[in-house]
Amino acid sequence: TPRAAGATAAKRRRTRRGAMGPKRDIARIPDTVFHKEVYEPAEDSFLLVDTLVAEWDARLANDPPRCALEVGSGTGYVIASAAVLMRDSGLDDFRCHATDVNPDAVACTRATADAHGVGDRVTIIQCDLLGPLRESLRGKVDLLLFNPPYVLTPSEEVAAGGIAAAWAGGKDGR
């Protein structure tokens, strides 16, 4: 079952300073939900969110996305951060979508979105890549977020499923 972040979770700021702008609210690690079979936010996740905030300040704040999609949402930290940015920008007509093949990740993403007050704006589907969203979102996604598995691993580890699928990039790192 999903669990809220405990004392062992990395302590991260609730806000990020963009390269050119003020501090902005993002998802909070203490309100992010974890599971032993789901990849926990790590430096690559934090870098992705930091880059999102910098891009928000540089470009997106002037033309905010109305539809965001994260492929491979894991705990939901990244898509919740995007949804918080969108909500706090004053948008009232935005939607976020998240996909993951791992049912535990789907549950974590749902709980994380709910914990950040954006659960009503985030649709979460268990599928590979875009799955059933491919056609319905065609031409509608303004913000695509994806932190694919990239660690060099034996090819058989790619198909292992569970937590290994979150980082197993195969012999070429995909």
Side-chain angles (χ1 to χ4, degrees), residues 16-166:
R16 290 279 188 261
R17 183 175 307 282
M20 304 171 73
K23 288 185 177 183
R24 298 205 179 270
D25 281 344
I26 57 169
R28 300 169 304 275
I29 289 297
D31 294 333
T32 299
V33 177
F34 299 91
H35 185 280
K36 66 183 174 105
E37 289 296 323
V38 176
Y39 183 75
E40 290 189 17
E43 289 309 311
D44 54 345
S45 310
F46 302 136
L47 178 61
L48 180 56
V49 170
D50 287 347
T51 302
L52 173 61
V53 170
E55 184 66 13
W56 193 272
D57 288 336
R59 188 182 67 80
L60 296 176
N62 296 324
D63 185 20
R66 298 284 195 268
C67 181
L69 168 65
E70 183 180 15
V71 176
S73 60
T75 63
Y77 171 75
V78 173
I79 195 66
S81 290
V84 167
L85 283 167
M86 294 166 82
R87 177 196 65 203
D88 290 354
S89 73
L91 291 176
D92 58 0
D93 61 343
F94 74 91
R95 287 296 307 166
C96 293
H97 305 274
T99 67
D100 206 297
V101 296
N102 181 340
D104 297 317
V106 170
C108 286
T109 298
R110 165 60 47 221
T112 296
D114 289 344
H116 287 89
V118 292
D120 62 327
R121 300 299 185 109
V122 180
T123 301
I124 304 148
I125 297 179
Q126 182 184 345
C127 65
D128 189 22
L129 299 175
L130 299 179
L133 295 175
R134 182 178 318 275
E135 291 304 316
S136 65
L137 292 181
R138 185 179 302 277
K140 296 178 182 174
V141 175
D142 304 308
L143 177 63
L144 177 63
L145 302 160
F146 189 25
N147 184 11
Y150 59 86
V151 176
L152 298 175
T153 59
S155 295
E156 58 273 5
E157 198 170 316
V158 172
I163 189 70

